[in-house]
Amino acid sequence: MPASSSGTAAVAVRTRREGAVLVATIAHPPVNALSVEVRRGLLQAAEAADADPEIAALLLVGEGRGFIAGADIREFGKPPLPPSLPEVCNRIEACRKPVIAAIHGPALGGGLEVAMAAHYRVALADAKLGLPEVQLGLMPGSGGTQRAPRLMGLQPALELMLSGRHLDAQEALECGLVDRVAEGNDALAAGLAYALQLLATRAPVRRTGEGVLAADIESARATLKGIAADTAKKTRGLFSPLKIVEAVEAGLDLPFAEALRNERQLFLQCIDSPQRAGLVHAFFAEREVAKAPETRSAKPRPLASVGVVGGGTMGAGIAVAVLDAGLPVTMVERDEASLARGRANVEKVYDGLVKRGRMTPEAKAAVLARFAGSTSYDALAGADLVIEAVFEDMAVKHAVFAELDRVAKPGAVLATNTSYLDIDAIAAGISRPQDVIGLHFFSPANIMKLLEIVVPAKVSADVVATAFELAKKLKKVPVRAGVCDGFIGNRILARYRQAADYMMEDGASPYQIDEAVRAFGYPMGPYQVSDLAGGDIGWATRKRKAPTRDPRARYVQIADRICERGWFGQKTGRGYYLYPEGARTGVPDPEVLAIIDAERQRAGVQPRRFGADDILRRYLAAMVNEGANVVRERIALRPLDVDVTFLYGYGFPRFRGGPMKYADTIGLDRVLADIREFAQEDPLFWQPSPLLVELVTQGRNFDSLNHPAD
Ligand code: NAI
């Protein structure tokens, strides 16, 4: 993994003699990232070991938290300074004296490639070994694709590189990635003991690169063919996974040195790919969102017990998410029957895990021991944080918050999971608006990573900090949002869903739209999502908003016609699609197409043809334009907050980095030109965001707003 490093330690790799062993200690805090100083230090250590006749072995060991956590993020995007990592690894491997790597903590990416270039490896129990480059659209580029299969075997090595997974010490031992696992927590001592033992037994220099990649080349070729086909299917359109397979395959025929050169070429292709840029953006953005201003200015309040009001879809999911984080939960429902249903909703999740063998019945019982239910609000008197997830109705929310105001202890955080309602109004209804915040979870709340933290006008900073602390405990990705209709995600969603509905009435079928959106990289299209979530939810929202809708705005009634028939999607067996006998994947429904035709006639629309590209241009332009408005109004702090919201809550393909990053990639001038073109048909809907216009005029991109301090 790329790792952040600070300061330029005068000596990033220290060497000293321990008898006949030259100890090279990587000392580049905080995580021993592979900066140019570290690379240079490692190279010099290898040279020094060879040059000194009194040295019989070289030991590589990391100081501090781990061995080497990976590349140095400060060097990303800058011209590479010599020596390159492949050069360093090759020099280590070429050493004429045994080289031992003693690994504790993370040995990831380039860090593991260094370890694999050593001749012997010993790991402490806390070691984490992995080649996670694929997660950033990259591949191992310093011999990893050649050395890992030689050490571990073809299939395990590919599994490691294609999944980006970390192995622990024991797993690494079992697959041959390390030679032994040592007791204790002193990597230096373990490494020295191993080095002395190797010297005592006159263990030879052992160069991984001199081994063969596979004993039986023909069967290896067949295996690789299977893996390539499987990878192509699973990673749909991703570039670097196939390059990993290609690099390994080339190693079957090429001499080692040439296979390394080939790997480097493929690695550079990955570096140049826009997917790499998208994935790296996503990687940094998801770390950046956790740093809201309030997390710096305020300390979180205590967070030892949580109350949840409502045990429906969301309340139960939230309760599970909180229980999974190890906290106790008290659920309040309006009557015994609803409470029983709420409890059953919670238990169902754990029963599923037990059934699939992923949890023992004892573990389930232990988790549920932390779960309590009540029909009385008094049960929430001790809670540090209460999350309300009752019906989406302002009167009901006010009633619930009045009760919370009555029973909650002073300083308790009072949160609402509302999707659209005005949280300032909810807060204004009680005596302690400073304690009220929005915690907008996504369904299923125990699975979906996104948590929109919605910050109303009167909330205190420490309540916001507490919300971010909760996200951390729940292992969610928090995004700070301002109060408006739909916050960041649902507000933008409403716009591009509208654009999709317009296209549907203008001539595209929902099936075509879904297909185009999937081809872009989404797991599902908008009409499949609607069928999955239940069409009734959107219908209720549309009815609620009908009185305030701009009478001049175009309104497509197709969804209403479908809902009026009781076709709410999967749960009713039909929606936009047909779900014969409870099938989870729908098939196109000719009756839906007939409804759409009828609506086109009613609206006097002459249907026209839409290609996949036309569909995407409109869909994404609507998304990006509203994203720009959301940033301009400070509903989202930066464009990257919009990106993370869509990556984690709405299925936007990660390799494209998010909608705002995607817009930067294709060029904001192009997006603006599209919007102006579409505005000729519907100027009310397609109003260019002033922020988009401003950025295009100034020749800037969205990313320039992500780093205001630069
Ligand atoms: P739901 O209808 O499944 O559950 C609501 C629950 O609240 C019911 O079990 C009901 O008995 C209970 N309830 C109603 N009044 C109550 C009261 N006065 N005291 C205690 N319990 C009461 O609804 P769902 O889908 O769980 O939604 C809840 C909230 O979460 C809504 O504000 C919704 O907008 C929001 N939300 C929903 C999402 C979804 O995908 N369903 C996603 C994100 C937010």
Side-chain angles (χ1 to χ4, degrees), residues 539-704:
W539 196 27
T541 310
R542 290 194 299 279
K543 284 193 243 179
R544 185 164 51 77
K545 291 191 177 164
T548 51
R549 202 162 34 230
D550 183 345
R552 296 168 304 155
R554 179 175 173 191
Y555 181 73
V556 175
Q557 300 182 25
I558 297 168
D560 295 343
R561 294 296 93 78
I562 290 174
C563 288
E564 282 156 13
R565 288 166 168 78
W567 301 350
F568 295 147
Q570 285 190 24
K571 62 185 173 190
T572 57
R574 69 195 296 181
Y576 288 96
Y577 293 80
L578 277 170
Y579 300 86
E581 285 154 41
R584 302 194 74 174
T585 335
V587 292
D589 184 349
E591 283 187 59
V592 166
L593 293 176
I595 293 170
I596 296 171
D597 261 342
E599 279 302 308
R600 286 174 186 153
Q601 282 181 22
R602 188 197 53 75
V605 171
Q606 191 59 255
R608 59 178 202 266
R609 284 178 55 80
F610 282 87
D613 186 52
D614 301 324
I615 292 171
L616 284 173
R617 272 171 61 207
R618 283 167 193 263
Y619 197 71
L620 294 163
M623 193 182 302
V624 170
N625 198 47
E626 194 63 5
N629 283 331
V630 155
V631 172
R632 178 167 171 267
E633 292 168 30
R634 304 277 296 161
I635 298 298
L637 291 179
R638 299 147 300 190
L640 68 81
D641 296 83
V642 176
D643 284 336
V644 172
T645 302
F646 280 84
L647 294 177
Y648 283 94
Y650 297 83
F652 196 95
R654 187 175 170 86
F655 67 83
R656 298 193 191 271
M660 311 310 265
K661 172 70 187 176
Y662 173 74
D664 277 354
T665 311
I666 62 167
L668 297 193
D669 49 348
R670 227 181 96 185
V671 179
L672 182 59
D674 277 351
I675 292 171
R676 289 192 165 136
E677 181 193 319
F678 307 149
Q680 289 170 10
E681 291 161 24
D682 185 348
L684 189 64
F685 182 77
W686 292 104
Q687 292 179 37
S689 165
L691 177 62
L692 184 60
V693 175
E694 187 187 315
L695 289 174
V696 170
T697 311
Q698 296 171 351
R700 291 166 63 196
N701 61 11
F702 284 127
D703 198 44
S704 66

Side-chain angles (χ1 to χ4, degrees), residues 312-314 333-334 377 389-390 392 397 417 419 440-441 443:
T313 310
M314 293 309 289
E333 259 287 356
R334 51 190 170 150
Y377 281 90
V390 301
E392 184 76 342
K397 304 278 189 203
N417 180 48
S419 308
H440 185 218
F441 289 81
S443 181

Side-chain angles (χ1 to χ4, degrees), residues 388-566:
E388 164 281 308
V390 301
F391 301 139
E392 184 76 342
D393 179 309
M394 193 49 121
V396 182
K397 304 278 189 203
H398 276 312
V400 169
F401 271 80
E403 287 295 307
L404 295 179
D405 197 10
R406 182 178 65 79
V407 301
K409 67 184 179 190
V413 174
L414 306 179
T416 172
N417 180 48
T418 179
S419 308
Y420 290 97
L421 299 177
D422 180 354
I423 304 178
D424 283 321
I426 295 176
I430 65 168
S431 70
R432 33 174 142 174
Q434 73 280 3
D435 297 336
V436 176
I437 193 162
L439 287 176
H440 185 218
F441 289 81
F442 288 71
S443 181
N446 56 317
I447 309 256
M448 293 291 286
K449 285 266 174 231
L450 182 63
L451 178 62
E452 270 182 306
I453 294 180
V454 191
V455 179
K458 296 217 170 122
V459 69
S460 2
D462 62 349
V463 169
V464 182
T466 313
F468 277 86
E469 184 64 22
L470 176 78
K472 201 190 285 175
K473 283 190 197 273
L474 266 44
K475 299 202 173 72
K476 301 279 183 209
V477 178
V479 173
R480 187 189 189 282
V483 174
C484 68
D485 195 354
F487 319 127
I488 299 177
N490 282 347
R491 168 169 162 177
I492 297 173
L493 166 74
R495 291 301 282 183
Y496 65 82
R497 270 306 312 264
Q498 228 173 326
D501 284 353
Y502 292 167
M503 287 189 273
M504 179 161 65
E505 196 172 64
D506 287 339
S509 79
Y511 316 121
Q512 263 183 301
I513 295 172
D514 280 350
E515 196 183 315
V517 168
R518 279 197 309 270
F520 181 73
Y522 273 89
M524 278 192 256
Y527 298 101
Q528 289 174 292
V529 171
S530 166
D531 274 3
L532 180 68
D536 47 331
I537 295 185
W539 196 27
T541 310
R542 290 194 299 279
K543 284 193 243 179
R544 185 164 51 77
K545 291 191 177 164
T548 51
R549 202 162 34 230
D550 183 345
R552 296 168 304 155
R554 179 175 173 191
Y555 181 73
V556 175
Q557 300 182 25
I558 297 168
D560 295 343
R561 294 296 93 78
I562 290 174
C563 288
E564 282 156 13
R565 288 166 168 78

Side-chain angles (χ1 to χ4, degrees), residues 140-176:
S142 304
T145 67
Q146 302 305 308
R147 292 192 180 98
R150 282 172 167 83
L151 286 169
M152 309 168 65
L154 205 59
Q155 253 172 327
L158 275 160
E159 204 271 325
L160 188 73
M161 292 187 278
L162 292 172
S163 68
R165 195 166 83 82
H166 300 167
L167 300 182
D168 64 26
Q170 196 55 40
E171 291 173 300
L173 180 69
E174 280 158 20
C175 68

Side-chain angles (χ1 to χ4, degrees), residues 77-90:
K78 295 188 186 157
L81 291 171
S84 70
L85 189 59
E87 194 185 327
V88 173
C89 290
N90 293 342

